[in-house]
Amino acid sequence: QVQLEESGGGLVRPGGSLTLSCVASRSIHVMAWYRQGSGNQRDVVALITSGGSTTYAEFAKGRFTISRDNAKNTIYLQMNDLRPEDTDVYYCYVADVGVREWGQGTQVTVSS
């Protein structure tokens, strides 16, 4: 079992920035951010492993940066140049052997 605590969502104007944080209750190999999107399936935004390998969705490349502090079991998603279409609920997701867990979600709204 692992518990997740997300923070950092909010309202920002187009072109602005936000940083999301997700703290896990223990060390975990894969940590990622997803967003809900328009369908039933959540879309990956960015993923980072305990070794620091990263993967980004095409829409996130060049604007979003995922990072992690292994000592704090925390990941961050720095989001720059935010656009109205980035408005969504963002979820932290973690995975390891025998573990799959979602955070409760944090709302990001990009609007003038």
Side-chain angles (χ1 to χ4, degrees):
Q1 284 280 28
V2 58
Q3 284 74 49
L4 304 174
E5 183 174 346
E6 301 157 330
S7 61
L11 173 64
V12 64
R13 295 184 184 278
S17 299
L18 279 176
T19 300
L20 306 182
S21 300
C22 174
V23 182
S25 57
R26 66 171 180 88
S27 173
I28 199 132
H29 179 48
V30 174
M31 300 183 76
W33 287 99
Y34 282 70
R35 64 189 193 185
Q36 185 60 50
S38 58
N40 290 329
Q41 189 169 355
R42 293 171 181 170
D43 301 320
V44 64
V45 176
L47 175 153
I48 187 166
T49 69
S50 56
S53 297
T54 58
T55 302
Y56 292 92
E58 282 299 319
F59 65 79
K61 290 179 180 178
R63 299 190 299 129
F64 296 0
T65 302
I66 191 169
S67 60
R68 74 188 280 167
D69 184 335
N70 287 332
K72 297 180 179 179
N73 299 327
T74 300
I75 60 168
Y76 307 94
L77 184 68
Q78 172 69 42
M79 302 186 291
N80 297 326
D81 188 25
L82 283 162
R83 304 164 182 169
E85 54 264 38
D86 294 316
T87 296
D88 213 326
V89 180
Y90 286 71
Y91 294 90
C92 181
Y93 173 77
V94 299
D96 207 324
V97 176
V99 175
R100 299 286 187 272
E101 196 67 53
W102 290 96
Q104 78 280 6
T106 185
Q107 177 70 45
V108 171
T109 301
V110 185
S111 175
S112 55

